[in-house]
Amino acid sequence: MFQTRIVPFGADAVAEAAALIAHGVPVAVPTETVYGLAADAWSAPAVAAIYAAKGRPSFNPLIVHVPDLAAAQAVAQLDEAALALAARFWPGPLTLVAPCHDPRIASLVTAGLPTIAVRVPAHRAMQALLAATGRPLAAPSANASGAISPTRAAHVLASLDGRIPMILDDGPTPTGLESTIVLTGAVPRLLRPGPITADAITAVLGMPLEAAPGGIIAPGQLASHYAPAKPLRLNAIDAAADEWLIGFGGVVGDDTLSAGGDLVEAAARLFDALHRADASDRARIAVAPVPGHGLGAAINDRLARAAH
């Protein structure tokens, strides 16, 4: 049991976080997507500590964060398609799944699979921590497994208080939605929709993306995930007396993802709104319809898993 501290971002805080990671203890750190729970990807005990803090199923692999393309190539065998995507979207909210060729990566990171999920983050806090540790960092979302993803330090504290020693606080995350995950190879596949749309990826690759195959081969593929404690109803135009309504566009609720129908704003506000709804005095949650085009595909993916 830890006394969990929220520490504002700065050089001293990064040094303290790096020291904890060096001792095998995971710490929470923001990325441009959501807050992550970071630990040394080369250390099996450190990675096990992530699973223990989250209560995460061991068959669900983790994303490894690295500082740049060269570091990504040191852990993953990136083909021509992967390199094209990396050149266009890194640093940024794109995760590539490719064959792992770093024997130092703990098998818990890959859940025993021959592939690894790797990403170069754009956020200054995660980049500073990568520089301070000099290690690839496994970092799933910093919340109890299956719960709503955290976009603020307070969300992390509410979910993991007592389970980790430190939350590096650098304000709300700018994107607010987990990274897009793509499996490259002869047939590129979209494993998880995210901030970088399928159309944007197709434009780079010059070929359409196939759907994800069966089975868990990347993070975020569990049928039930990102879930509040309360029952969640989708495509709601109005709310019952015991429901907290999260609106969108013309559907006005107790809260809204975007009154103007802006999908980028809606993505950034999604998990924050779900946290507020879960903390409300209503027994259930309802969410207004969100269009499925562009970033709406990723928003609806998260809502479907949350309601599962």
Side-chain angles (χ1 to χ4, degrees):
M1 194 74 172
F2 293 100
Q3 181 177 356
T4 304
R5 296 162 52 239
I6 296 179
V7 184
F9 174 77
D12 290 345
V14 171
E16 181 183 349
L20 286 165
I21 286 173
H23 285 90
V25 181
V27 299
V29 56
T31 74
E32 70 272 29
T33 58
V34 298
Y35 273 71
L37 188 57
D40 182 356
W42 289 341
S43 168
V47 176
I50 291 177
Y51 282 101
K54 286 178 63 69
R56 186 182 181 93
S58 60
F59 57 81
N60 199 6
L62 308 179
I63 294 173
V64 172
H65 295 70
V66 293
D68 51 34
L69 177 59
Q73 290 180 293
V75 299
Q77 186 178 328
L78 301 181
D79 61 15
E80 186 177 338
L83 291 172
L85 292 172
R88 173 65 181 84
F89 298 115
W90 279 354
L94 174 69
T95 295
L96 296 173
V97 175
C100 180
H101 65 187
D102 183 352
R104 296 169 295 181
I105 295 292
S107 61
L108 271 175
V109 170
T110 61
L113 296 168
T115 53
I116 187 169
V118 64
R119 181 166 93 84
V120 176
H123 199 285
R124 66 174 185 174
M126 179 59 97
Q127 280 288 350
L129 193 55
L130 286 164
T133 59
R135 300 292 179 97
L137 297 177
S141 56
N143 57 289
S145 187
I148 307 168
S149 296
T151 57
R152 299 175 183 270
H155 297 162
V156 181
L157 185 66
S159 190
L160 298 181
D161 190 14
R163 300 190 193 184
I164 59 174
M166 180 182 178
I167 302 165
L168 190 61
D169 184 5
D170 199 17
T173 59
T175 303
L177 203 64
E178 299 87 357
S179 61
T180 304
I181 302 181
V182 174
L183 172 69
T184 59
V187 182
R189 296 183 182 274
L190 181 66
L191 302 185
R192 180 175 71 185
I196 296 171
T197 65
D199 287 346
I201 293 164
T202 295
V204 172
L205 297 181
M207 67 177 78
L209 289 165
E210 298 284 336
I216 304 296
I217 62 172
Q221 289 189 290
L222 294 175
S224 180
H225 208 44
Y226 318 111
K230 296 174 180 176
L232 178 65
R233 180 169 68 92
L234 304 180
N235 299 314
I237 303 300
D238 48 35
D242 66 343
E243 287 182 326
W244 177 276
L245 178 60
I246 300 173
F248 178 84
V251 177
V252 179
D254 301 282
D255 197 353
T256 185
L257 297 178
S258 174
D262 185 322
L263 290 173
V264 174
E265 181 184 22
R269 291 176 56 86
L270 175 63
F271 291 128
D272 215 8
L274 286 172
H275 278 285
R276 285 192 292 270
D278 221 17
S280 76
D281 59 358
R282 314 285 169 76
R284 298 185 296 147
I285 304 168
V287 183
V290 176
H293 60 79
L295 197 50
I299 295 169
N300 282 308
D301 170 77
R302 304 309 191 276
L303 286 172
R305 294 175 194 275
H308 194 275

